[in-house]
Amino acid sequence: MSSIKSEWPLLVFTTFAPVCAGAWIVAAALTLFGASPQASALTTGPCGTALCVLLVVSLACSTLHLGKPAKALRAFGRLGNSTVSNEVFMGSLFALSSVLYLLMSPGLASASEIWKIPLALVAAFAALFVVFQCLAYRMRTVSTWNSTAFSVEFAVIALLGGVCLEGAIARLAVPLPFDVRLGLVAVGAACCAGMVFVVCAEGSVVARTALRRSDAEESLARWGAFSVARVLALAVGFVVWGCGMLANEPSATLACAGLAIVVVGIAIGRFAFYRFYLNVGLPRA
């Protein structure tokens, strides 16, 4: 355990944690605005449990890239002075609040409108976690990370992944009216379009960095391959997911398959972010 220094744990963390945050935000919105009489099931019972487990596991993975994961608690010592510490704190607060809400939800169900307050707090913590995650990777010492494009990507994948995840969960557990499903698909389409702009903006940042390297042409070719692969995966996954959502008889199989492909597209971007050395602006050791 003490020798784990790979970026893979961070890849898992930055793929699934923002998707969980986006899912809680979408589920809370559908529940609070009464998208369906059974919408509360998206944040309670098996659905809420699945989101909490995925979130906690992804947060735990974030410590495994350290030489000694137990020392991850030291991050709280720089709270307020470090964007990474702020991200860790808000992620922990988000996870704690979601677990507490899940535990309290059976008792809150009969408490009229009071149950909406803790749910709104969970959604607020989820949104703040995404914001702090965007800020945590604005590192001045890393030329490509210190850009708006790479920061904004965290927010876009959180919303895109969250919409797709909640859509797939709803297909399995909660009947949603067609207009609500259409609204989810519209939001997902906007996120996909946003990702195209983000990838193009990231490409210009990477190109400027590559000009200072001896292997500029090769590096740009590799970056281009990663970009094309993730955009294709996101587009294909979204189309499959959208078909599952809007079909006359909505298909949970298509929705889940589309979600899986979208997650693969997000993971490709995360892999490039951590493992493709041109992307992080550091020379290969």
Side-chain angles (χ1 to χ4, degrees), residues 21-270:
W24 271 103
I25 293 170
V26 173
L30 292 175
T31 303
L32 295 175
F33 291 103
S36 168
Q38 295 85 30
S40 60
L42 294 172
T43 59
T44 59
C47 297
T49 301
L51 288 179
C52 285
V53 170
L54 185 59
L55 175 61
V56 171
V57 170
S58 63
L59 289 173
C61 276
S62 69
T63 68
L64 297 180
H65 73 289
L66 302 173
K68 295 182 178 180
K71 292 186 177 180
L73 293 176
R74 292 183 177 181
F76 292 103
R78 299 194 63 202
L79 185 62
N81 297 316
S82 166
T83 54
V84 174
S85 294
N86 295 339
E87 176 202 20
V88 172
F89 173 75
M90 190 53 62
S92 301
L93 189 59
F94 167 39
L96 178 61
S97 64
S98 63
V99 171
L100 289 177
Y101 170 78
L102 184 66
L103 294 175
M104 294 188 301
S105 57
L108 294 173
S110 60
S112 185
E113 299 295 303
I114 296 179
W115 64 270
K116 293 184 177 181
I117 297 176
L119 178 57
L121 285 175
V122 174
F125 289 144
L128 286 173
F129 168 65
V130 174
V131 170
F132 281 114
Q133 192 168 59
C134 292
L135 297 175
Y137 291 90
R138 289 299 298 269
M139 299 182 182
R140 295 180 181 180
T141 56
V142 182
S143 57
T144 49
W145 287 12
N146 189 32
S147 65
T148 302
F150 282 95
S151 294
V152 169
E153 182 184 346
F154 283 94
V156 179
I157 64 174
L159 187 54
L160 174 60
V163 166
C164 291
L165 177 55
E166 280 307 311
I169 290 175
R171 287 293 81 229
L172 293 169
V174 178
L176 294 178
F178 178 80
D179 58 338
V180 174
R181 288 184 275 124
L182 182 61
L184 291 176
V185 172
V187 173
C191 291
C192 280
M195 275 303 302
V196 173
F197 286 107
V198 166
V199 171
C200 290
E202 290 175 346
S204 64
V205 174
V206 171
R208 290 195 299 270
T209 302
L211 292 177
R212 300 192 294 268
R213 298 169 60 101
S214 59
D215 60 343
E217 185 175 348
E218 179 184 354
S219 296
L220 284 176
R222 285 183 294 160
W223 170 256
F226 276 114
S227 298
V228 170
R230 66 168 161 160
V231 169
L232 282 177
L234 292 174
V236 171
F238 173 74
V239 170
V240 173
W241 174 83
C243 289
M245 294 294 293
L246 298 180
N248 290 331
E249 294 185 4
S251 170
T253 300
L254 284 178
C256 291
L259 167 66
I261 300 172
V262 167
V263 171
V264 169
I266 293 173
I268 291 173
R270 298 296 86 211

